[in-house]
Amino acid sequence: MKKTYGIEVDCANCASKMEDAAAKTNGVKSAVVSFMTQKMKVEFEDGADVDETMKLVLKNCKKVEDDCEIFI
């Protein structure tokens, strides 16, 4: 399953950090963050709980960029 989320991030480097953090989260198959469009596209592993996985993604992204936001 793939979903797109709106995000708020201040710079392209921060978006790159968010992308790496999201991609390393359990339940995430792949993640792409676009600074220009302020969107995150997430592909989930089969059987992953989307809501719980996105909570973990947000938590992991906040570790690398504490003022970022993902509109879940």
Side-chain angles (χ1 to χ4, degrees):
M1 171 190 284
K2 294 181 183 179
K3 289 189 108 179
T4 302
Y5 298 91
I7 62 169
E8 187 175 307
V9 64
D10 297 333
C11 69
N13 186 46
C14 301
S16 178
K17 289 179 185 178
M18 286 179 67
E19 183 174 285
D20 290 343
K24 292 177 183 174
T25 304
N26 287 338
V28 174
K29 193 173 201 176
S30 67
V32 177
V33 175
S34 172
F35 171 68
M36 294 299 290
T37 62
Q38 295 286 297
K39 298 216 181 280
M40 174 186 283
K41 294 181 182 179
V42 180
E43 183 176 358
F44 298 94
E45 297 282 349
D46 292 337
D49 182 327
V50 173
D51 294 331
E52 288 303 312
T53 301
M54 282 310 296
K55 288 178 186 175
L56 291 174
V57 167
L58 179 59
K59 182 179 176 182
N60 290 341
C61 286
K62 292 262 186 200
K63 287 180 185 176
V64 295
E65 190 54 45
D66 63 348
D67 65 345
C68 71
E69 190 57 65
I70 302 172
F71 303 105
I72 301 172

PDB file of all heavy atoms in Angstrom, residues 35-68:
ATOM      1  N   PHE A  35      10.966  18.168  -0.725  1.00  0.00           N
ATOM      2  CA  PHE A  35      10.972  19.483  -0.085  1.00  0.00           C
ATOM      3  C   PHE A  35      10.142  20.475  -0.890  1.00  0.00           C
ATOM      4  O   PHE A  35       9.405  21.286  -0.332  1.00  0.00           O
ATOM      5  CB  PHE A  35      12.413  19.980   0.068  1.00  0.00           C
ATOM      6  CG  PHE A  35      12.506  21.401   0.527  1.00  0.00           C
ATOM      7  CD1 PHE A  35      12.115  21.755   1.810  1.00  0.00           C
ATOM      8  CD2 PHE A  35      12.970  22.391  -0.322  1.00  0.00           C
ATOM      9  CE1 PHE A  35      12.189  23.067   2.235  1.00  0.00           C
ATOM     10  CE2 PHE A  35      13.060  23.712   0.102  1.00  0.00           C
ATOM     11  CZ  PHE A  35      12.661  24.046   1.379  1.00  0.00           C
ATOM     12  N   MET A  36      10.243  20.404  -2.212  1.00  0.00           N
ATOM     13  CA  MET A  36       9.556  21.367  -3.078  1.00  0.00           C
ATOM     14  C   MET A  36       8.028  21.281  -2.950  1.00  0.00           C
ATOM     15  O   MET A  36       7.359  22.301  -2.906  1.00  0.00           O
ATOM     16  CB  MET A  36       9.960  21.163  -4.542  1.00  0.00           C
ATOM     17  CG  MET A  36      11.417  21.482  -4.808  1.00  0.00           C
ATOM     18  SD  MET A  36      11.857  23.190  -4.448  1.00  0.00           S
ATOM     19  CE  MET A  36      10.992  24.018  -5.751  1.00  0.00           C
ATOM     20  N   THR A  37       7.496  20.071  -2.881  1.00  0.00           N
ATOM     21  CA  THR A  37       6.039  19.914  -2.800  1.00  0.00           C
ATOM     22  C   THR A  37       5.542  19.752  -1.365  1.00  0.00           C
ATOM     23  O   THR A  37       4.330  19.715  -1.140  1.00  0.00           O
ATOM     24  CB  THR A  37       5.571  18.697  -3.622  1.00  0.00           C
ATOM     25  OG1 THR A  37       6.157  17.503  -3.093  1.00  0.00           O
ATOM     26  CG2 THR A  37       5.927  18.859  -5.091  1.00  0.00           C
ATOM     27  N   GLN A  38       6.499  19.620  -0.417  1.00  0.00           N
ATOM     28  CA  GLN A  38       6.154  19.402   0.994  1.00  0.00           C
ATOM     29  C   GLN A  38       5.253  18.167   1.156  1.00  0.00           C
ATOM     30  O   GLN A  38       4.223  18.197   1.819  1.00  0.00           O
ATOM     31  CB  GLN A  38       5.473  20.640   1.584  1.00  0.00           C
ATOM     32  CG  GLN A  38       6.377  21.868   1.644  1.00  0.00           C
ATOM     33  CD  GLN A  38       7.427  21.769   2.749  1.00  0.00           C
ATOM     34  OE1 GLN A  38       7.098  21.712   3.924  1.00  0.00           O
ATOM     35  NE2 GLN A  38       8.687  21.772   2.365  1.00  0.00           N
ATOM     36  N   LYS A  39       5.698  17.056   0.519  1.00  0.00           N
ATOM     37  CA  LYS A  39       4.956  15.806   0.591  1.00  0.00           C
ATOM     38  C   LYS A  39       5.905  14.640   0.867  1.00  0.00           C
ATOM     39  O   LYS A  39       7.071  14.666   0.496  1.00  0.00           O
ATOM     40  CB  LYS A  39       4.213  15.544  -0.717  1.00  0.00           C
ATOM     41  CG  LYS A  39       3.189  16.602  -1.051  1.00  0.00           C
ATOM     42  CD  LYS A  39       1.984  16.017  -1.696  1.00  0.00           C
ATOM     43  CE  LYS A  39       0.972  17.071  -2.060  1.00  0.00           C
ATOM     44  NZ  LYS A  39       0.159  17.531  -1.010  1.00  0.00           N
ATOM     45  N   MET A  40       5.365  13.637   1.524  1.00  0.00           N
ATOM     46  CA  MET A  40       6.077  12.393   1.791  1.00  0.00           C
ATOM     47  C   MET A  40       5.243  11.256   1.220  1.00  0.00           C
ATOM     48  O   MET A  40       4.064  11.127   1.565  1.00  0.00           O
ATOM     49  CB  MET A  40       6.265  12.184   3.298  1.00  0.00           C
ATOM     50  CG  MET A  40       6.878  10.837   3.653  1.00  0.00           C
ATOM     51  SD  MET A  40       6.942  10.510   5.428  1.00  0.00           S
ATOM     52  CE  MET A  40       8.331  11.513   5.898  1.00  0.00           C
ATOM     53  N   LYS A  41       5.856  10.453   0.361  1.00  0.00           N
ATOM     54  CA  LYS A  41       5.194   9.269  -0.183  1.00  0.00           C
ATOM     55  C   LYS A  41       5.780   8.061   0.519  1.00  0.00           C
ATOM     56  O   LYS A  41       6.996   7.882   0.526  1.00  0.00           O
ATOM     57  CB  LYS A  41       5.406   9.174  -1.685  1.00  0.00           C
ATOM     58  CG  LYS A  41       4.728  10.285  -2.454  1.00  0.00           C
ATOM     59  CD  LYS A  41       4.943  10.154  -3.942  1.00  0.00           C
ATOM     60  CE  LYS A  41       4.272  11.337  -4.646  1.00  0.00           C
ATOM     61  NZ  LYS A  41       4.467  11.281  -6.096  1.00  0.00           N
ATOM     62  N   VAL A  42       4.905   7.255   1.099  1.00  0.00           N
ATOM     63  CA  VAL A  42       5.342   6.090   1.877  1.00  0.00           C
ATOM     64  C   VAL A  42       4.715   4.834   1.282  1.00  0.00           C
ATOM     65  O   VAL A  42       3.504   4.798   1.039  1.00  0.00           O
ATOM     66  CB  VAL A  42       4.926   6.227   3.353  1.00  0.00           C
ATOM     67  CG1 VAL A  42       5.377   5.018   4.155  1.00  0.00           C
ATOM     68  CG2 VAL A  42       5.475   7.507   3.961  1.00  0.00           C
ATOM     69  N   GLU A  43       5.552   3.828   1.058  1.00  0.00           N
ATOM     70  CA  GLU A  43       5.059   2.512   0.668  1.00  0.00           C
ATOM     71  C   GLU A  43       5.264   1.598   1.869  1.00  0.00           C
ATOM     72  O   GLU A  43       6.378   1.495   2.389  1.00  0.00           O
ATOM     73  CB  GLU A  43       5.808   1.975  -0.546  1.00  0.00           C
ATOM     74  CG  GLU A  43       5.265   0.647  -1.018  1.00  0.00           C
ATOM     75  CD  GLU A  43       5.919   0.131  -2.298  1.00  0.00           C
ATOM     76  OE1 GLU A  43       6.782   0.828  -2.859  1.00  0.00           O
ATOM     77  OE2 GLU A  43       5.568  -0.977  -2.705  1.00  0.00           O
ATOM     78  N   PHE A  44       4.195   0.955   2.296  1.00  0.00           N
ATOM     79  CA  PHE A  44       4.215   0.128   3.503  1.00  0.00           C
ATOM     80  C   PHE A  44       4.467  -1.337   3.164  1.00  0.00           C
ATOM     81  O   PHE A  44       4.086  -1.818   2.099  1.00  0.00           O
ATOM     82  CB  PHE A  44       2.887   0.265   4.255  1.00  0.00           C
ATOM     83  CG  PHE A  44       2.612   1.655   4.728  1.00  0.00           C
ATOM     84  CD1 PHE A  44       1.863   2.532   3.961  1.00  0.00           C
ATOM     85  CD2 PHE A  44       3.133   2.117   5.926  1.00  0.00           C
ATOM     86  CE1 PHE A  44       1.619   3.829   4.386  1.00  0.00           C
ATOM     87  CE2 PHE A  44       2.906   3.412   6.357  1.00  0.00           C
ATOM     88  CZ  PHE A  44       2.144   4.275   5.583  1.00  0.00           C
ATOM     89  N   GLU A  45       5.106  -2.031   4.100  1.00  0.00           N
ATOM     90  CA  GLU A  45       5.286  -3.480   3.982  1.00  0.00           C
ATOM     91  C   GLU A  45       3.913  -4.145   4.027  1.00  0.00           C
ATOM     92  O   GLU A  45       2.975  -3.623   4.631  1.00  0.00           O
ATOM     93  CB  GLU A  45       6.135  -4.014   5.152  1.00  0.00           C
ATOM     94  CG  GLU A  45       7.546  -3.476   5.202  1.00  0.00           C
ATOM     95  CD  GLU A  45       8.482  -4.137   4.221  1.00  0.00           C
ATOM     96  OE1 GLU A  45       8.102  -5.166   3.627  1.00  0.00           O
ATOM     97  OE2 GLU A  45       9.593  -3.623   4.033  1.00  0.00           O
ATOM     98  N   ASP A  46       3.800  -5.313   3.404  1.00  0.00           N
ATOM     99  CA  ASP A  46       2.549  -6.070   3.455  1.00  0.00           C
ATOM    100  C   ASP A  46       2.206  -6.402   4.898  1.00  0.00           C
ATOM    101  O   ASP A  46       3.057  -6.841   5.665  1.00  0.00           O
ATOM    102  CB  ASP A  46       2.677  -7.369   2.657  1.00  0.00           C
ATOM    103  CG  ASP A  46       2.810  -7.115   1.170  1.00  0.00           C
ATOM    104  OD1 ASP A  46       2.380  -6.047   0.697  1.00  0.00           O
ATOM    105  OD2 ASP A  46       3.348  -8.008   0.475  1.00  0.00           O
ATOM    106  N   GLY A  47       0.966  -6.148   5.284  1.00  0.00           N
ATOM    107  CA  GLY A  47       0.501  -6.468   6.630  1.00  0.00           C
ATOM    108  C   GLY A  47       0.826  -5.429   7.685  1.00  0.00           C
ATOM    109  O   GLY A  47       0.477  -5.612   8.849  1.00  0.00           O
ATOM    110  N   ALA A  48       1.485  -4.352   7.322  1.00  0.00           N
ATOM    111  CA  ALA A  48       1.843  -3.316   8.304  1.00  0.00           C
ATOM    112  C   ALA A  48       0.609  -2.530   8.720  1.00  0.00           C
ATOM    113  O   ALA A  48      -0.275  -2.261   7.906  1.00  0.00           O
ATOM    114  CB  ALA A  48       2.891  -2.371   7.722  1.00  0.00           C
ATOM    115  N   ASP A  49       0.541  -2.181   9.983  1.00  0.00           N
ATOM    116  CA  ASP A  49      -0.515  -1.306  10.501  1.00  0.00           C
ATOM    117  C   ASP A  49      -0.125   0.129  10.127  1.00  0.00           C
ATOM    118  O   ASP A  49       0.798   0.705  10.705  1.00  0.00           O
ATOM    119  CB  ASP A  49      -0.623  -1.468  12.018  1.00  0.00           C
ATOM    120  CG  ASP A  49      -1.733  -0.620  12.622  1.00  0.00           C
ATOM    121  OD1 ASP A  49      -2.017   0.486  12.110  1.00  0.00           O
ATOM    122  OD2 ASP A  49      -2.319  -1.067  13.628  1.00  0.00           O
ATOM    123  N   VAL A  50      -0.829   0.695   9.166  1.00  0.00           N
ATOM    124  CA  VAL A  50      -0.467   1.999   8.605  1.00  0.00           C
ATOM    125  C   VAL A  50      -0.435   3.088   9.671  1.00  0.00           C
ATOM    126  O   VAL A  50       0.524   3.865   9.744  1.00  0.00           O
ATOM    127  CB  VAL A  50      -1.430   2.376   7.456  1.00  0.00           C
ATOM    128  CG1 VAL A  50      -1.189   3.797   6.978  1.00  0.00           C
ATOM    129  CG2 VAL A  50      -1.288   1.395   6.300  1.00  0.00           C
ATOM    130  N   ASP A  51      -1.462   3.151  10.507  1.00  0.00           N
ATOM    131  CA  ASP A  51      -1.529   4.206  11.525  1.00  0.00           C
ATOM    132  C   ASP A  51      -0.382   4.103  12.529  1.00  0.00           C
ATOM    133  O   ASP A  51       0.267   5.098  12.853  1.00  0.00           O
ATOM    134  CB  ASP A  51      -2.877   4.179  12.255  1.00  0.00           C
ATOM    135  CG  ASP A  51      -4.040   4.535  11.339  1.00  0.00           C
ATOM    136  OD1 ASP A  51      -3.821   5.298  10.366  1.00  0.00           O
ATOM    137  OD2 ASP A  51      -5.154   4.061  11.585  1.00  0.00           O
ATOM    138  N   GLU A  52      -0.126   2.899  13.021  1.00  0.00           N
ATOM    139  CA  GLU A  52       0.949   2.713  13.994  1.00  0.00           C
ATOM    140  C   GLU A  52       2.322   2.950  13.351  1.00  0.00           C
ATOM    141  O   GLU A  52       3.210   3.537  13.971  1.00  0.00           O
ATOM    142  CB  GLU A  52       0.891   1.302  14.602  1.00  0.00           C
ATOM    143  CG  GLU A  52      -0.266   1.101  15.558  1.00  0.00           C
ATOM    144  CD  GLU A  52      -0.269   2.095  16.713  1.00  0.00           C
ATOM    145  OE1 GLU A  52       0.792   2.296  17.348  1.00  0.00           O
ATOM    146  OE2 GLU A  52      -1.333   2.681  16.976  1.00  0.00           O
ATOM    147  N   THR A  53       2.466   2.514  12.117  1.00  0.00           N
ATOM    148  CA  THR A  53       3.736   2.721  11.413  1.00  0.00           C
ATOM    149  C   THR A  53       3.997   4.209  11.221  1.00  0.00           C
ATOM    150  O   THR A  53       5.125   4.678  11.425  1.00  0.00           O
ATOM    151  CB  THR A  53       3.727   1.985  10.054  1.00  0.00           C
ATOM    152  OG1 THR A  53       3.520   0.583  10.287  1.00  0.00           O
ATOM    153  CG2 THR A  53       5.042   2.186   9.319  1.00  0.00           C
ATOM    154  N   MET A  54       2.976   4.969  10.870  1.00  0.00           N
ATOM    155  CA  MET A  54       3.170   6.412  10.661  1.00  0.00           C
ATOM    156  C   MET A  54       3.489   7.132  11.972  1.00  0.00           C
ATOM    157  O   MET A  54       4.228   8.115  11.972  1.00  0.00           O
ATOM    158  CB  MET A  54       1.953   7.032   9.988  1.00  0.00           C
ATOM    159  CG  MET A  54       1.908   6.763   8.490  1.00  0.00           C
ATOM    160  SD  MET A  54       3.439   7.153   7.595  1.00  0.00           S
ATOM    161  CE  MET A  54       3.570   8.925   7.827  1.00  0.00           C
ATOM    162  N   LYS A  55       2.973   6.645  13.084  1.00  0.00           N
ATOM    163  CA  LYS A  55       3.350   7.221  14.384  1.00  0.00           C
ATOM    164  C   LYS A  55       4.848   7.015  14.621  1.00  0.00           C
ATOM    165  O   LYS A  55       5.532   7.910  15.115  1.00  0.00           O
ATOM    166  CB  LYS A  55       2.532   6.590  15.512  1.00  0.00           C
ATOM    167  CG  LYS A  55       1.087   7.035  15.529  1.00  0.00           C
ATOM    168  CD  LYS A  55       0.314   6.334  16.633  1.00  0.00           C
ATOM    169  CE  LYS A  55      -1.158   6.658  16.561  1.00  0.00           C
ATOM    170  NZ  LYS A  55      -1.953   5.909  17.545  1.00  0.00           N
ATOM    171  N   LEU A  56       5.346   5.828  14.267  1.00  0.00           N
ATOM    172  CA  LEU A  56       6.779   5.545  14.400  1.00  0.00           C
ATOM    173  C   LEU A  56       7.601   6.382  13.435  1.00  0.00           C
ATOM    174  O   LEU A  56       8.678   6.866  13.784  1.00  0.00           O
ATOM    175  CB  LEU A  56       7.050   4.059  14.168  1.00  0.00           C
ATOM    176  CG  LEU A  56       6.537   3.096  15.223  1.00  0.00           C
ATOM    177  CD1 LEU A  56       6.751   1.647  14.763  1.00  0.00           C
ATOM    178  CD2 LEU A  56       7.234   3.338  16.552  1.00  0.00           C
ATOM    179  N   VAL A  57       7.090   6.566  12.215  1.00  0.00           N
ATOM    180  CA  VAL A  57       7.789   7.395  11.231  1.00  0.00           C
ATOM    181  C   VAL A  57       7.930   8.818  11.774  1.00  0.00           C
ATOM    182  O   VAL A  57       9.015   9.405  11.732  1.00  0.00           O
ATOM    183  CB  VAL A  57       7.040   7.401   9.875  1.00  0.00           C
ATOM    184  CG1 VAL A  57       7.580   8.500   8.959  1.00  0.00           C
ATOM    185  CG2 VAL A  57       7.156   6.039   9.189  1.00  0.00           C
ATOM    186  N   LEU A  58       6.845   9.373  12.299  1.00  0.00           N
ATOM    187  CA  LEU A  58       6.886  10.731  12.853  1.00  0.00           C
ATOM    188  C   LEU A  58       7.888  10.812  14.004  1.00  0.00           C
ATOM    189  O   LEU A  58       8.700  11.737  14.068  1.00  0.00           O
ATOM    190  CB  LEU A  58       5.503  11.178  13.310  1.00  0.00           C
ATOM    191  CG  LEU A  58       5.419  12.569  13.928  1.00  0.00           C
ATOM    192  CD1 LEU A  58       5.891  13.640  12.949  1.00  0.00           C
ATOM    193  CD2 LEU A  58       4.003  12.867  14.390  1.00  0.00           C
ATOM    194  N   LYS A  59       7.853   9.813  14.889  1.00  0.00           N
ATOM    195  CA  LYS A  59       8.780   9.782  16.023  1.00  0.00           C
ATOM    196  C   LYS A  59      10.232   9.752  15.539  1.00  0.00           C
ATOM    197  O   LYS A  59      11.075  10.500  16.038  1.00  0.00           O
ATOM    198  CB  LYS A  59       8.475   8.559  16.890  1.00  0.00           C
ATOM    199  CG  LYS A  59       9.325   8.440  18.128  1.00  0.00           C
ATOM    200  CD  LYS A  59       8.923   7.217  18.929  1.00  0.00           C
ATOM    201  CE  LYS A  59       9.825   7.027  20.117  1.00  0.00           C
ATOM    202  NZ  LYS A  59       9.499   5.826  20.879  1.00  0.00           N
ATOM    203  N   ASN A  60      10.522   8.908  14.545  1.00  0.00           N
ATOM    204  CA  ASN A  60      11.878   8.802  14.021  1.00  0.00           C
ATOM    205  C   ASN A  60      12.312  10.066  13.289  1.00  0.00           C
ATOM    206  O   ASN A  60      13.461  10.487  13.394  1.00  0.00           O
ATOM    207  CB  ASN A  60      12.005   7.589  13.101  1.00  0.00           C
ATOM    208  CG  ASN A  60      11.939   6.291  13.860  1.00  0.00           C
ATOM    209  OD1 ASN A  60      12.147   6.252  15.064  1.00  0.00           O
ATOM    210  ND2 ASN A  60      11.628   5.213  13.166  1.00  0.00           N
ATOM    211  N   CYS A  61      11.393  10.694  12.577  1.00  0.00           N
ATOM    212  CA  CYS A  61      11.714  11.939  11.877  1.00  0.00           C
ATOM    213  C   CYS A  61      11.990  13.065  12.874  1.00  0.00           C
ATOM    214  O   CYS A  61      12.883  13.888  12.662  1.00  0.00           O
ATOM    215  CB  CYS A  61      10.594  12.331  10.927  1.00  0.00           C
ATOM    216  SG  CYS A  61      10.521  11.299   9.438  1.00  0.00           S
ATOM    217  N   LYS A  62      11.243  13.103  13.969  1.00  0.00           N
ATOM    218  CA  LYS A  62      11.454  14.134  14.990  1.00  0.00           C
ATOM    219  C   LYS A  62      12.825  13.976  15.665  1.00  0.00           C
ATOM    220  O   LYS A  62      13.381  14.949  16.160  1.00  0.00           O
ATOM    221  CB  LYS A  62      10.346  14.089  16.042  1.00  0.00           C
ATOM    222  CG  LYS A  62       8.985  14.498  15.519  1.00  0.00           C
ATOM    223  CD  LYS A  62       8.715  15.916  15.850  1.00  0.00           C
ATOM    224  CE  LYS A  62       7.290  16.291  15.471  1.00  0.00           C
ATOM    225  NZ  LYS A  62       7.152  17.728  15.352  1.00  0.00           N
ATOM    226  N   LYS A  63      13.363  12.755  15.678  1.00  0.00           N
ATOM    227  CA  LYS A  63      14.689  12.536  16.254  1.00  0.00           C
ATOM    228  C   LYS A  63      15.774  13.224  15.430  1.00  0.00           C
ATOM    229  O   LYS A  63      16.751  13.712  15.985  1.00  0.00           O
ATOM    230  CB  LYS A  63      14.999  11.037  16.340  1.00  0.00           C
ATOM    231  CG  LYS A  63      14.245  10.306  17.417  1.00  0.00           C
ATOM    232  CD  LYS A  63      14.618   8.838  17.410  1.00  0.00           C
ATOM    233  CE  LYS A  63      13.777   8.047  18.401  1.00  0.00           C
ATOM    234  NZ  LYS A  63      14.066   6.603  18.327  1.00  0.00           N
ATOM    235  N   VAL A  64      15.607  13.248  14.109  1.00  0.00           N
ATOM    236  CA  VAL A  64      16.628  13.846  13.245  1.00  0.00           C
ATOM    237  C   VAL A  64      16.330  15.299  12.896  1.00  0.00           C
ATOM    238  O   VAL A  64      17.225  16.056  12.564  1.00  0.00           O
ATOM    239  CB  VAL A  64      16.836  13.028  11.945  1.00  0.00           C
ATOM    240  CG1 VAL A  64      17.389  11.658  12.263  1.00  0.00           C
ATOM    241  CG2 VAL A  64      15.581  12.957  11.108  1.00  0.00           C
ATOM    242  N   GLU A  65      15.055  15.681  12.970  1.00  0.00           N
ATOM    243  CA  GLU A  65      14.670  17.057  12.657  1.00  0.00           C
ATOM    244  C   GLU A  65      13.464  17.410  13.524  1.00  0.00           C
ATOM    245  O   GLU A  65      12.323  17.169  13.162  1.00  0.00           O
ATOM    246  CB  GLU A  65      14.329  17.161  11.159  1.00  0.00           C
ATOM    247  CG  GLU A  65      14.152  18.571  10.681  1.00  0.00           C
ATOM    248  CD  GLU A  65      15.333  19.452  11.000  1.00  0.00           C
ATOM    249  OE1 GLU A  65      16.486  19.053  10.800  1.00  0.00           O
ATOM    250  OE2 GLU A  65      15.086  20.570  11.501  1.00  0.00           O
ATOM    251  N   ASP A  66      13.749  17.969  14.717  1.00  0.00           N
ATOM    252  CA  ASP A  66      12.712  18.126  15.733  1.00  0.00           C
ATOM    253  C   ASP A  66      11.585  19.109  15.386  1.00  0.00           C
ATOM    254  O   ASP A  66      10.511  19.036  15.969  1.00  0.00           O
ATOM    255  CB  ASP A  66      13.307  18.458  17.098  1.00  0.00           C
ATOM    256  CG  ASP A  66      14.033  19.770  17.114  1.00  0.00           C
ATOM    257  OD1 ASP A  66      14.295  20.356  16.039  1.00  0.00           O
ATOM    258  OD2 ASP A  66      14.374  20.234  18.215  1.00  0.00           O
ATOM    259  N   ASP A  67      11.794  20.001  14.412  1.00  0.00           N
ATOM    260  CA  ASP A  67      10.703  20.933  14.086  1.00  0.00           C
ATOM    261  C   ASP A  67       9.957  20.550  12.805  1.00  0.00           C
ATOM    262  O   ASP A  67       9.203  21.344  12.272  1.00  0.00           O
ATOM    263  CB  ASP A  67      11.224  22.373  14.004  1.00  0.00           C
ATOM    264  CG  ASP A  67      12.215  22.593  12.869  1.00  0.00           C
ATOM    265  OD1 ASP A  67      12.722  21.600  12.325  1.00  0.00           O
ATOM    266  OD2 ASP A  67      12.459  23.758  12.529  1.00  0.00           O
ATOM    267  N   CYS A  68      10.127  19.309  12.335  1.00  0.00           N
ATOM    268  CA  CYS A  68       9.393  18.865  11.173  1.00  0.00           C
ATOM    269  C   CYS A  68       7.982  18.426  11.593  1.00  0.00           C
ATOM    270  O   CYS A  68       7.717  18.207  12.780  1.00  0.00           O
ATOM    271  CB  CYS A  68      10.099  17.695  10.490  1.00  0.00           C
ATOM    272  SG  CYS A  68      10.042  16.128  11.400  1.00  0.00           S
TER     273      CYS A  68
END
